[in-house]
Amino acid sequence: AKVFAFDKTGTLTKGEFVVKNVVEGGQVRDEELISVISALEKYSSHPISKAFESYETELLVESVEEFAGKGLRGFIDGEETLVGNAKFLIERGVAIKESVSPYTVIHASKGGRYLGAVTLVDEIREGCRQVVAELKNLGVKKSVVLTGDRADRAREVVNEVGMDEFKAELLPNEKLSEAEKLKGLGGLVYVGDGINDAPVMKVANCAVSMGKLGSSVAVEASDVVLIKDELKGLVDGVKLAKKTKKIVWQNIVFSVLMKFAFMALGVLGVLPLSLAVFADVGVMLLAVLNSLRMRF
């Protein structure tokens, strides 16, 4: 593997969003804004929705639709209600006040009227920078973040963990296109956790999913599952793969050379029966014993 690509939310970050603050410029009270967002977010499968689980709301939402990588649309009191990123609301004709923030910003509107926005914080996993550095030491040429989040937040994460580059504000189909490009640079390993990552996992040479936070779809689509959600497992995996490859080649070369040597002795008529048995069974046993080194 020469290229490692990572999803951001729930992979490089803990995926445990919390509401940081309400952005100034909204047209309703903070409590009403949070209530509207919470009412729709409870229908979402995205990790962001967990930030609003502790907020109670009595609002009833009908005909909820989720737009991957963008937001949610539903009807409250018969009025179209939108919750999502800035692009999502602008596409539907809502005049919003964009917020310059490195964090995730969730905007809301009701009946075409902009209600306001909140910022969410998601902490980076401990040890990410060390994992990226160790992967480079093991021969990984490029490490990339592919995310649907804002570019400024993606840039902040990339700088903090020491990765090479990022592609931000990507829709699921755009992630797929970027993954195809990365495959041209060498063997691609993609690490993700969400439903949106499943198509990219199918394209990657090797797919890795997070075991605890990862969706069942992502786990099913992956080749490797990090049971403890610890990225250091990637370093262990690369080391294990390199060791496996080394031992396999040792066994192949040793077995072939021994077979040819015994064949030559057999043709010359100097091969006793005991050596013939060793050539058949003994070489196999030595290869098995050599393979047991993988356990240590």
Side-chain angles (χ1 to χ4, degrees):
K2 298 301 179 185
V3 182
F4 270 71
F6 297 80
D7 175 43
K8 182 183 75 65
T9 305
T11 303
L12 292 176
T13 62
K14 295 179 180 179
E16 299 172 356
F17 286 91
V18 293
V19 176
K20 180 176 176 63
N21 66 289
V22 177
V23 181
E24 295 182 2
Q27 300 180 16
V28 296
R29 291 177 301 152
D30 294 357
E31 296 80 7
E32 184 179 348
L33 173 63
I34 294 292
S35 182
V36 169
I37 296 176
S38 300
L40 267 78
E41 285 290 350
K42 70 180 182 180
Y43 292 96
S44 174
S45 59
H46 196 279
I48 282 178
S49 64
K50 295 180 180 179
F52 301 94
E53 287 180 344
S54 61
Y55 294 94
E56 296 183 359
T57 177
E58 296 180 355
L59 297 176
L60 299 177
V61 188
E62 299 178 337
S63 305
V64 180
E65 294 180 85
E66 183 170 12
F67 298 83
K70 294 184 177 181
L72 298 116
R73 172 180 177 268
F75 290 85
I76 297 177
D77 301 327
E79 295 183 301
E80 182 184 54
T81 305
L82 304 173
V83 170
N85 58 33
K87 184 187 297 185
F88 180 59
L89 271 69
I90 292 172
E91 286 176 353
R92 283 155 179 77
V94 179
I96 72 168
K97 180 179 179 180
E98 287 213 53
S99 173
V100 179
S101 171
Y103 303 107
T104 300
V105 181
I106 301 296
H107 299 266
S109 71
K110 183 180 178 185
R113 180 171 64 102
Y114 181 60
L115 302 181
V118 298
T119 58
L120 305 178
V121 179
D122 183 19
E123 295 182 354
I124 295 176
R125 291 181 183 277
E126 296 177 2
C128 277
R129 190 175 188 86
Q130 182 181 354
V131 168
V132 173
E134 289 189 38
L135 288 174
K136 288 183 178 179
N137 291 335
L138 290 171
V140 175
K141 293 181 178 179
K142 184 183 287 289
S143 55
V144 185
V145 174
L146 302 180
T147 178
D149 206 349
R150 296 163 59 97
D152 49 0
R153 175 55 177 160
R155 183 179 295 106
E156 184 181 51
V157 171
V158 166
N159 291 337
E160 187 168 341
V161 302
M163 287 192 176
D164 298 310
E165 62 182 68
F166 69 91
K167 300 291 181 181
E169 300 180 26
L170 299 175
L171 296 176
N173 62 309
E174 293 172 332
K175 267 192 177 183
L176 198 60
S177 299
E178 291 296 334
E180 292 280 10
K181 295 176 184 177
L182 291 174
K183 281 185 71 175
L185 303 177
L188 172 64
V189 176
Y190 182 78
V191 189
D193 72 302
I195 294 175
N196 297 341
D197 296 314
V200 185
M201 288 179 166
K202 287 295 185 182
V203 169
N205 299 104
C206 180
V208 183
S209 65
M210 312 302 284
K212 292 181 180 179
L213 287 177
S215 69
S216 57
V217 176
V219 171
E220 182 66 27
S222 63
D223 303 297
V224 180
V225 180
L226 300 177
I227 300 298
K228 296 182 179 180
D229 283 359
E230 295 179 355
L231 291 179
K232 67 178 183 179
L234 296 174
V235 176
D236 296 335
V238 173
K239 289 179 178 178
L240 190 63
K242 288 180 176 291
K243 188 174 182 180
T244 300
K245 185 177 180 180
K246 180 180 179 180
I247 289 177
V248 167
W249 275 110
Q250 287 174 352
N251 284 345
I252 290 173
V253 172
F254 172 70
S255 299
V256 171
L257 289 177
M258 291 295 288
K259 292 291 185 180
F260 274 114
F262 286 122
M263 286 173 60
L265 292 174
V267 170
L268 296 174
V270 295
L271 180 65
L273 182 60
S274 58
L275 284 180
V277 172
F278 177 77
D280 184 37
V281 180
V283 171
M284 181 272 292
L285 290 174
L286 289 175
V288 170
L289 290 173
N290 189 41
S291 298
L292 290 176
R293 290 169 52 217
M294 289 301 302
R295 297 180 61 87
F296 305 103

